[in-house]
Amino acid sequence: LHGLHRWSERLGLVSDGAQRLIADSPRLRGEQVCANLKAGDGLLDAIRKVGNGLDDAESGQVVGLAAQTYCPDQLGKLSGVQSES
């Protein structure tokens, strides 16, 4: 629950589109981003998998916020543009 609280505190820092996506199911979204990063996704892959009509900038906000909140050990993967595809 602590992660969810930090997640919602940071929502004011992201775009309206990203906020709508996160508000839909915040914990599930955050945990899915983290699962993808832990499975080997780099920044571009993680951004592409957010989807739901968000542009790359909004998807990047979701990825960054999720990693900061739910899997800070994965933040290193977001500093570069590694793509597995």
Side-chain angles (χ1 to χ4, degrees), residues 62-79:
V62 171
V63 169
L65 187 59
Q68 289 173 12
T69 304
Y70 291 106
C71 53
D73 60 314
Q74 299 297 308
L75 285 171
K77 293 182 178 178
L78 305 182
S79 63

Side-chain angles (χ1 to χ4, degrees), residues 22-42:
I22 293 166
D24 180 40
S25 51
R27 186 178 189 115
L28 179 63
R29 298 282 179 199
E31 290 176 350
Q32 184 60 56
V33 167
C34 289
N36 293 341
L37 291 171
K38 289 176 182 177
D41 281 0

Side-chain angles (χ1 to χ4, degrees), residues 1-84:
L1 193 58
H2 181 61
L4 183 58
H5 177 67
R6 285 183 295 152
W7 176 260
S8 59
E9 280 180 345
R10 294 176 178 148
L11 277 178
L13 304 175
V14 300
S15 69
D16 289 342
Q19 286 183 32
R20 282 191 298 277
L21 177 65
I22 293 166
D24 180 40
S25 51
R27 186 178 189 115
L28 179 63
R29 298 282 179 199
E31 290 176 350
Q32 184 60 56
V33 167
C34 289
N36 293 341
L37 291 171
K38 289 176 182 177
D41 281 0
L43 177 61
L44 294 178
D45 295 318
I47 287 171
R48 286 185 198 116
K49 289 181 180 177
V50 170
N52 285 32
L54 299 183
D55 63 25
D56 285 349
E58 291 173 322
S59 293
Q61 291 173 345
V62 171
V63 169
L65 187 59
Q68 289 173 12
T69 304
Y70 291 106
C71 53
D73 60 314
Q74 299 297 308
L75 285 171
K77 293 182 178 178
L78 305 182
S79 63
V81 275
Q82 328 152 325
S83 179
E84 300 297 320

